[in-house]
Amino acid sequence: MVSNQADHILSTAMRLCLDQGLGALTMRSAAAAAGVTSSAIVYHFKTRERLLVALLDHIENVVADSRKRLADAFDEEQWAFAGPAACVTAIMRRLLDEQGLAIIALSEIDRLLRGSDAEQAAQTIMSRAWERADRFWQSLPVIADEDREGRAIWAATAQGMIPLVMLDRNPVTRDARIARIVARLADRLARRDVALLPPSSPPEPIAKAVRPAGKQQIVDATIRLSGKSGIEALTHRKIAAEAGLSVASTTYFYPAKDDIVADAANDVQTRAMNAVVDGSVPPPVFMSRIMLDNRQQERAEMAALTAFMTAAIRIPELEQLATALRRVRGLDGIRWLAARGYRQTDRLDGIVWAAASVFLAQQALLQPPPQRAAFLDNVSDAWLTRLFG
């Protein structure tokens, strides 16, 4: 059982993390924020890693409590009056207003703890987080009348759209985006005819930056490391080791860590944009070829894209990257649907499928490695047929 003082420390640590970023959270800063001594932090949590695990657990519980409280605001008459799309939209909008940054912090902390002694504890909490989110959305009365597959698609899309819509920092356009995505999902599940949006013109190709060999090595190493442990875990020393260079080389090209992140973000943006523009990434036949590598682990490119998407949501200086990623996800989704033979679809359908895929990929990673590819391919094919077939 968590003591009152430990709970107070976690509450203030959460606020520090959400206001200033995960990098601002140290044992010393947690003590200062909570108004306690450093020895009190050590007494309760021993190390920063254990503090982060406890914080992960605390934030996940706060998010779960918020979801339940928002759902409890509806009575039986209101559930019946509003309908699925309106209820899910209303809950989603308020959830993001109240806990959007907390939901993003869950992914950041989890990624930061990968490869550490606390990795297994973090994965256990994240497994619980995904399972509770899935159970919450599926249990909403307005979705309960759907069959099992329909409820699963509702839950996956609702949870998976959170990082996608949070790339839009304008709350007005973000909320409109949520409403359109949810309404399209409701129409597709009900097999209603939809008015397709006009085709979207692809973004203009971006000229790839020409960097000296050492500098490009640093950028590539930064992208790889970001996928493994997130942006916050980056240091000059880790990047230099990953790149096979000296620390002096990294500081020569990039005096500050933020300079490396900004340049790596530009490279991620260029790659994502140009993959959509020129079709250089062949459309996979099976979902597992997008998400998993030969070891049945998360593909490095997907891990890096997720890490930078999370950073783009939280870091104001990466707004250009957030805008680019938001546009690319819809265009890439519709391009992939068309390649699978679903041509009577539009960019909005691409976003619906991108959102469902985010959750589906996380669910696959909870399976034993030998079962992941079959799970992804079988479920995605069934869902595609249900939505667009």
Side-chain angles (χ1 to χ4, degrees):
M1 184 174 180
V2 178
S3 71
N4 289 336
Q5 186 180 61
D7 190 64
H8 170 66
I9 292 168
L10 291 173
S11 295
T12 55
M14 175 178 170
R15 191 70 266 153
L16 177 65
C17 174
L18 301 189
D19 289 346
Q20 299 182 32
L22 193 55
L25 181 63
T26 64
M27 301 287 274
R28 187 181 300 276
S29 67
V36 300
T37 63
S38 295
S39 60
I41 302 291
V42 173
Y43 172 77
H44 288 294
F45 304 106
K46 309 305 182 201
T47 65
R48 183 175 184 252
E49 285 184 356
R50 291 192 184 184
L51 171 62
L52 288 171
V53 170
L55 180 60
L56 186 70
D57 182 69
H58 177 79
I59 293 175
E60 197 278 320
N61 282 314
V62 167
V63 171
D65 289 345
S66 290
R67 282 195 304 255
K68 183 180 184 305
R69 179 174 45 77
L70 291 171
D72 287 346
F74 291 87
D75 60 27
E76 185 174 341
E77 180 182 356
Q78 290 165 331
W79 283 120
F81 174 77
C87 289
V88 171
T89 298
I91 292 172
M92 181 68 69
R93 288 172 56 186
R94 291 298 300 159
L95 182 63
L96 294 187
D97 287 341
E98 294 183 10
Q99 302 297 344
L101 288 177
I103 293 169
I104 294 303
L106 290 174
S107 297
E108 285 188 307
I109 297 171
D110 174 50
R111 200 168 289 275
L112 180 63
L113 291 173
R114 291 183 186 179
S116 73
D117 292 339
E119 179 178 13
Q120 186 56 54
Q123 288 182 349
T124 299
I125 295 169
M126 291 303 294
S127 295
R128 184 189 76 200
W130 286 104
E131 289 167 3
R132 289 170 79 176
D134 183 48
R135 189 164 58 248
F136 166 80
W137 293 109
Q138 290 204 43
S139 69
L140 294 181
V142 286
I143 295 173
D145 289 339
E146 292 275 1
D147 60 22
R148 182 177 179 180
E149 184 177 71
R151 292 195 305 272
I153 294 173
W154 264 113
T157 308
Q159 188 66 16
M161 79 164 71
I162 290 175
L164 297 181
V165 298
M166 284 190 68
L167 287 167
D168 190 344
R169 294 195 177 95
N170 184 318
V172 176
T173 54
R174 182 208 69 187
D175 289 353
R177 193 179 306 277
I178 293 170
R180 296 195 73 181
I181 295 170
V182 173
R184 174 58 63 86
L185 174 62
D187 286 341
R188 287 299 189 184
L189 284 173
R191 298 193 178 279
R192 290 188 285 263
D193 291 335
V194 300
L196 297 178
L197 300 176
S200 298
S201 58
E204 291 296 321
I206 302 174
K208 185 172 175 58
V210 178
R211 303 181 181 92
K215 196 171 187 179
Q216 187 62 51
Q217 284 177 253
I218 294 169
V219 168
D220 291 339
T222 300
I223 293 172
R224 289 195 301 272
L225 284 176
S226 298
K228 295 175 184 176
S229 54
I231 302 296
E232 293 293 352
L234 296 174
T235 65
H236 276 91
R237 187 173 300 279
K238 290 180 180 178
I239 294 169
E242 178 72 17
L245 300 171
S246 67
V247 176
S249 297
T250 64
T251 55
Y252 170 76
F253 286 117
Y254 298 103
K257 168 187 159 179
D258 288 349
D259 298 329
I260 308 179
V261 171
D263 207 14
N266 288 333
D267 208 68
V268 168
Q269 176 181 332
T270 299
R271 295 180 193 184
M273 282 287 196
N274 292 349
V276 172
V277 174
D278 60 26
S280 60
V281 178
V285 177
F286 301 109
M287 180 61 69
S288 61
R289 287 175 56 187
I290 300 178
M291 303 294 184
L292 303 175
D293 61 21
N294 292 334
R295 299 176 297 111
Q296 304 303 301
Q297 301 297 324
E298 184 179 25
R299 189 177 289 278
E301 307 94 282
M302 296 301 298
L305 188 63
T306 300
F308 274 92
M309 184 165 72
T310 302
I313 292 169
R314 189 179 52 76
I315 303 174
E317 290 76 15
L318 297 181
E319 184 172 0
Q320 184 178 4
L321 176 64
T323 301
L325 292 178
R326 187 176 69 242
R327 189 176 185 196
V328 163
R329 292 309 292 268
L331 292 173
D332 201 38
I334 182 58
R335 177 171 157 260
W336 191 80
L337 288 174
R340 290 298 304 269
Y342 300 102
R343 298 190 178 278
Q344 293 303 308
T345 52
D346 60 11
R347 187 182 173 198
L348 198 51
D349 289 318
I351 296 172
V352 167
W353 183 247
S357 298
V358 168
F359 188 86
L360 193 56
Q362 293 298 325
Q363 291 294 94
L365 293 173
L366 299 179
Q367 311 295 319
Q371 300 175 21
R372 289 173 182 172
F375 172 87
L376 266 176
D377 295 335
N378 293 337
V379 177
S380 64
D381 280 354
W383 287 10
L384 284 166
T385 301
R386 177 68 176 269
L387 288 168
F388 310 114

